[in-house]
Amino acid sequence: MDREISKTEQRKALLRQILKTGGVIVAFVVAGGLLISYLQESLRKKDLLISTVDKGTIEVSVNASGKVVPAFEEIINSPITSRIVEVYRKGGDEVDAGTPILKLDLQTVENEYNKLLDEEEMKRLQLEQLKLTNSSKLSEMEMKLKVSRMELSRREVELRNERYLDSLGAGTTDKVRQVELSCNVGQLQLKEDEQKYLNEQALTEADLKVKDLELNIFRKGLAEARRTLEDAQIRSPRKAILTYVNNEVGAQIQQGSRVAIVSDLSHFKVEGEIADTYGDRIAVGSRAVVKIGNEKLDGAVSDVTPLSRNGVIAFTVQLVVDNHPRLRSGLKTDVYVMHAIKEDVMRIANASYYSGKGEYELFVVEGEQLHRRKVRLGDSNFEYVEVVGGLQAGDEVVVSDMSAYQGKTKLRIEN
């Protein structure tokens, strides 16, 4: 006859069953963890980017950020305060030199210009009138001088006659003195008239010069007004692509505000920026390399801003091939500017692991394993990084991204 199993024994049996099941689960977890750990620590060599330490030359560079811009770009500003009446072209259109882009309301400017034309004509006529008046006045004075000279000649003849008569005893001494005095007075009068004529001549010449100068200054202002009127007829200054146009018909625009931009999108340059702490390493004429993806374009620094703005110095790189197919306006690039050369130094390939001089922990190939090693790195360029310590020529170093293995000191590799 079966006897009933006690509750105590039932609980013990249940506990034994739970412990067996738990043990199996723990064994599976431990085995899975060991398997995952084994898989994580085992890497295929062909999946790694490995650089061999060698000796050679490094053309030291500084890294800067850059942006591709058109080699030529001209902003067209409104020369007057006006409003847009018509728009003839849209952004993206190709335009030739002199092509109308948009029309401004020029009625007020044209009225002002016509008023200046009338004022110029009035000033020109006033100058002609002054010339005629001065000429007439000088002619009168010349005639008066001729009369004074004739009168003096007559008195001189009369004086000679009286002296001759006095020498014959037919004249008187008083009469001679009277004629002589009249002759002296005539000479003084003639000198006074001659001086007045010279003074008047100099005065009229100076007056004419002043008036002529005033007219020339006015004409320069008139030419400026004519140029402003011509500029207000917004046209393309050269053959290019219209990259921007204010197409808001009826919009009020202020003098000096931007209304259009024309750019040459067949040739480009690179505008770079770098922290002013590296400003002494950027100089006009320095060789530069611009990286666009895997493409490397050679160039040279053509311009450097003399002042720092917000801790940044701007510079321009003129490219050797400025019409490369990869170049696009607004494209962000990396710019490397060369500033020194180091010869016969140990080096490894430059990659994303490098962020400047200092100590790094890199994985080095040792047989079938990777060992983490402390390494000191120095200067660099876009291709190589200088090895200062921790490596020897011939060592193989992993230069690909190993951030997933930060806690590992040793990894297994498979061929």
Side-chain angles (χ1 to χ4, degrees):
M1 178 175 177
D2 296 334
R3 64 183 181 86
E4 185 179 354
I5 300 173
S6 67
K7 291 183 177 180
T8 302
E9 290 179 349
Q10 289 179 356
R11 285 197 296 270
K12 288 181 180 179
L14 180 61
L15 181 60
R16 284 195 296 271
Q17 185 66 31
I18 291 173
L19 289 174
K20 287 180 181 179
T21 304
V24 172
I25 293 173
V26 170
F28 273 111
V29 170
V30 171
L34 291 173
L35 179 61
I36 292 172
S37 176
Y38 175 80
L39 292 176
Q40 283 182 336
E41 293 178 359
S42 179
L43 300 173
R44 290 187 299 178
K45 193 171 184 179
K46 66 179 183 179
D47 294 334
L48 300 174
L49 184 61
I50 296 176
S51 174
T52 302
V53 180
D54 65 355
K55 283 193 172 184
T57 300
I58 293 181
E59 197 171 2
V60 182
S61 65
V62 288
N63 189 10
S65 60
K67 183 176 72 171
V68 178
V69 298
F72 160 78
E73 185 174 76
E74 183 168 342
I75 299 174
I76 303 175
N77 297 319
S78 174
I80 60 172
T81 297
S82 183
R83 65 184 183 89
I84 299 175
V85 178
E86 293 181 62
V87 178
Y88 303 121
R89 301 287 175 176
K90 63 181 183 297
D93 285 352
E94 184 175 349
V95 292
D96 292 320
T99 300
I101 297 175
L102 55 82
K103 181 181 180 181
L104 301 179
D105 183 2
L106 304 179
Q107 183 175 358
T108 302
V109 179
E110 288 174 345
N111 290 339
E112 288 293 331
Y113 179 68
N114 291 330
K115 182 180 177 181
L116 290 175
L117 285 176
D118 293 339
E119 192 172 347
E120 182 209 17
E121 182 64 16
M122 183 180 67
K123 287 182 176 294
R124 187 187 67 80
L125 292 175
Q126 287 176 346
L127 181 60
E128 291 297 327
Q129 184 181 17
L130 180 62
K131 288 179 179 179
L132 291 173
T133 300
N134 290 342
S135 178
S136 176
K137 190 173 183 180
L138 289 174
S139 296
E140 290 178 2
M141 294 185 72
E142 285 179 357
M143 188 61 67
K144 186 177 179 181
L145 279 175
K146 289 180 180 179
V147 172
S148 296
R149 291 190 184 101
M150 292 174 62
E151 180 65 24
L152 180 60
S153 296
R154 185 189 64 78
R155 290 178 182 180
E156 288 175 345
V157 171
E158 184 179 356
L159 178 59
R160 285 196 298 271
N161 291 337
E162 288 297 330
R163 284 176 177 172
Y164 178 72
L165 292 174
D166 185 50
S167 65
L168 297 176
T172 63
T173 304
D174 291 339
K175 182 65 175 175
V176 172
R177 288 177 180 175
Q178 183 180 357
V179 175
E180 189 176 23
L181 179 60
S182 177
C183 186
N184 290 335
V185 171
Q187 288 177 347
L188 293 173
Q189 186 66 46
L190 177 60
K191 287 181 179 180
E192 183 181 2
D193 291 343
E194 288 176 341
Q195 189 61 46
K196 284 183 179 180
Y197 176 79
L198 293 175
N199 292 343
E200 186 65 28
Q201 193 176 40
L203 184 62
T204 55
E205 287 178 0
D207 197 16
L208 284 175
K209 286 181 179 179
V210 170
K211 294 296 183 182
D212 194 50
L213 182 60
E214 288 179 355
L215 180 58
N216 288 335
I217 292 174
F218 184 83
R219 282 174 173 166
K220 288 179 181 179
L222 180 63
E224 185 65 27
R226 180 168 57 250
R227 187 160 48 250
T228 299
L229 181 60
E230 292 173 353
D231 291 343
Q233 300 170 10
I234 307 299
R235 301 176 183 272
S236 174
R238 65 187 71 199
K239 184 175 181 179
I241 301 296
L242 184 64
T243 53
Y244 167 80
V245 61
N246 187 336
N247 56 6
E248 297 181 17
V249 176
Q252 192 76 18
I253 56 173
Q254 299 299 316
Q255 181 180 3
S257 61
R258 183 178 63 179
V259 293
I261 300 177
V262 292
S263 306
D264 180 2
L265 297 183
S266 61
H267 299 275
F268 299 89
K269 60 185 178 181
V270 176
E271 291 183 348
E273 289 185 342
I274 194 168
D276 54 10
T277 52
Y278 298 97
D280 58 339
R281 304 183 188 181
I282 306 294
V284 174
S286 298
R287 178 173 172 262
V289 173
V290 176
K291 285 189 68 176
I292 302 175
N294 294 326
E295 295 284 349
K296 299 181 182 68
L297 304 180
D298 289 329
V301 177
S302 60
D303 181 62
V304 180
T305 55
L307 298 177
S308 169
R309 179 176 295 180
N310 297 326
V312 172
I313 288 178
F315 61 95
T316 303
V317 174
Q318 196 70 39
L319 298 171
V320 175
V321 181
D322 61 1
N323 58 350
H324 193 278
R326 292 292 302 274
L327 294 172
R328 294 288 185 275
S329 181
L331 183 66
K332 300 294 184 180
T333 67
D334 288 324
V335 182
Y336 298 87
V337 180
M338 314 305 168
H339 66 89
I341 295 178
K342 287 189 173 183
E343 297 181 349
D344 196 30
V345 296
M346 287 194 302
R347 62 189 187 178
I348 57 175
N350 196 346
S352 59
Y353 69 90
Y354 181 76
S355 59
K357 292 182 180 181
E359 283 196 350
Y360 291 79
E361 290 187 350
L362 302 178
F363 283 100
V364 180
V365 178
E366 295 182 9
E368 295 183 352
Q369 290 184 331
L370 298 179
H371 289 263
R372 186 183 292 275
R373 188 185 300 180
K374 287 187 176 181
V375 176
R376 282 193 300 118
L377 302 179
D379 291 316
S380 70
N381 62 14
F382 63 96
E383 292 180 307
Y384 298 106
V385 177
E386 178 190 12
V387 177
V388 179
L391 295 173
Q392 300 295 326
D395 286 346
E396 292 182 320
V397 183
V398 177
V399 294
S400 51
D401 184 10
M402 299 293 284
S403 57
Y405 306 97
Q406 287 183 358
K408 303 295 182 181
T409 59
K410 186 186 299 184
L411 297 170
R412 204 158 69 97
I413 58 174
E414 297 177 355
N415 293 322

